[in-house]
Amino acid sequence: MEDKFFEQVLFGNTVKEYIISIGVILIGMLVMKLVSRIVSFLVFRLFKRYAKDVTAEEFTHLLTKPVSAFFILSLAYISLVNLSFPPSWHLKPDDQFGFLMVLHKGYHITIIFSACWIALRVIDFIGLIMLRRAEKTISRTDDQLVPFLTDGAKILTVILFFFFTLGAVFSVNVVTLIGGLGIGGLALALAGKETVENLFGSITIFLDKPFIVGDQIKIENVQGYVEAIGLRSTKIRTLEKSLISVPNKKMINADVENITGRTFWRARFSIGVLYSTKSEDIQNIITEIKNYLDFHEDIDDSSLVTLEKFNDSSIDILIVFLVKTNEFEKFAMVREQVNFRLIEIVENNHTSFAFPSRSIYMENTVTTSISQP
């Protein structure tokens, strides 16, 4: 009785064939992650001698999803390939346009996509190895070069898989297609004008080196540290810790200030003392400030301290100095030291800082009454 049940035919296939196919897929889904981790670990052993700075867990994390997708698609094909559609459906063969052709070509596209996904993750892993090695060198140029090469390799891989799909799935003569498009036409067809401009922008940045990864730059109203220079955009970590992507076309057309490239930070401000301050005290204040700045180890000896002008409610002293650093944090710290010292100098010279004030003088008028006789 049981044998008869399993031998029943439904939609052109026996119940037994359906159970086997579904069972294979279910078992595959249960062991999918385990198989993908085992495969990832075995592949990692091929790179182990070159990947001393990268752990097996990092590699496994990169490959688990694409390997799982490839595994389950392959298993689904194996389990379903023997199933047939009922003749009563009158489906056209897979070499003619119809449901079967769409089904077969769709499967081939997805399996190629999963293989491309695996290749891209392997490229990411190789890029991670190169990046870890680059971080150990003094030069920061290689930190910039690694993401550039990684992105380029990934784009080239996608293009190769795209043309492989055209040739293998749709039987397109790829050589003739590339020859007809030409390199320029191919780039415009695949990427578009904006992407091509950004690509040439990234090449310009790499060759001209107006900044490199790790530099603090300012472009228009964006200021922060360069985290990565890709083929399309430059990623900037702002001082507020947000991440901004600026197209490379804009990076080469706009005025970019490389703050890291500066040799000094310049401070220029004025302090005002009371009008009641004696002239010799003002002179002493100027001299002491000048001496302090000249002997400060973090300040250049070209500082300027001079009596600037007579303001409405104060006598103003101009102070200009250069801090020997390209880091804003250190500049702010030195400026704070100078400000505290200014307070001490002014207080020690029998005066204080002026603030906006107004003096009002009242004129006393004496009126005499003369009585008439």
Side-chain angles (χ1 to χ4, degrees), residues 116-133:
C116 179
W117 192 5
I118 293 174
L120 293 177
R121 287 301 179 88
V122 172
I123 293 174
D124 283 333
F125 177 70
I126 296 174
L128 183 61
I129 295 174
M130 297 171 60
L131 187 61
R132 294 286 171 82
R133 292 186 176 183

Side-chain angles (χ1 to χ4, degrees), residues 219 222 232-236 244-248 250-251:
I219 172 173
V222 177
R232 193 199 71 83
S233 63
T234 297
K235 293 180 174 57
I236 302 174
I244 297 179
S245 296
V246 182
N248 289 327
K250 184 176 180 180
M251 297 297 296

Side-chain angles (χ1 to χ4, degrees), residues 9-181:
V9 177
L10 297 173
F11 301 106
N13 303 281
T14 64
V15 173
K16 181 180 180 180
E17 290 174 330
Y18 284 123
I19 293 176
I20 293 175
S21 298
I22 296 174
V24 170
I25 294 176
L26 292 176
I27 294 173
M29 294 179 65
L30 292 175
V31 301
M32 178 176 60
K33 288 187 177 181
L34 177 61
V35 172
S36 62
R37 290 183 66 87
I38 294 174
V39 172
S40 300
F41 180 76
L42 293 176
V43 176
F44 174 77
R45 293 181 64 88
L46 299 176
F47 297 93
K48 188 175 181 180
R49 59 183 299 183
Y50 308 103
K52 296 180 181 179
D53 300 320
V54 182
T55 64
E57 288 72 17
E58 291 176 299
F59 183 74
T60 303
H61 177 72
L62 286 173
L63 279 191
T64 297
K65 288 185 178 180
V67 171
S68 298
F70 186 85
F71 173 75
I72 198 66
L73 285 172
S74 302
L75 203 61
Y77 179 79
I78 294 173
S79 62
L80 299 177
V81 69
N82 293 322
L83 297 180
S84 59
F85 292 95
S88 59
W89 289 11
H90 303 293
L91 298 177
K92 295 181 179 180
D94 57 7
D95 58 348
Q96 297 181 20
F97 182 77
F99 176 75
L100 290 181
M101 174 181 280
V102 173
L103 186 64
H104 286 185
K105 290 188 181 299
Y107 170 77
H108 292 149
I109 291 174
T110 54
I111 201 71
I112 292 174
F113 170 79
S114 62
C116 179
W117 192 5
I118 293 174
L120 293 177
R121 287 301 179 88
V122 172
I123 293 174
D124 283 333
F125 177 70
I126 296 174
L128 183 61
I129 295 174
M130 297 171 60
L131 187 61
R132 294 286 171 82
R133 292 186 176 183
E135 290 173 351
K136 294 182 178 181
T137 62
I138 298 176
S139 174
R140 288 184 294 168
T141 303
D142 48 5
D143 296 340
Q144 174 177 324
L145 179 61
V146 170
F148 184 85
L149 294 177
T150 302
D151 290 344
K154 291 169 72 173
I155 289 177
L156 180 61
T157 300
V158 171
I159 292 175
L160 291 176
F161 270 92
F162 173 76
F163 282 113
F164 177 78
T165 303
L166 292 180
V169 179
F170 298 100
S171 302
V172 175
N173 191 327
V174 177
V175 177
T176 304
L177 176 63
I178 295 177
L181 290 175

Side-chain angles (χ1 to χ4, degrees), residues 178-224:
I178 295 177
L181 290 175
I183 297 177
L186 176 62
L188 292 175
L190 295 179
K193 180 174 177 295
E194 291 292 327
T195 304
V196 172
E197 290 177 347
N198 288 323
L199 174 60
F200 280 102
S202 65
I203 296 174
T204 302
I205 293 173
F206 179 73
L207 295 177
D208 192 41
K209 296 180 181 178
F211 52 84
I212 60 177
V213 173
D215 283 355
Q216 182 181 171
I217 64 172
K218 182 178 182 181
I219 172 173
E220 297 180 354
N221 60 340
V222 177
Q223 180 176 343

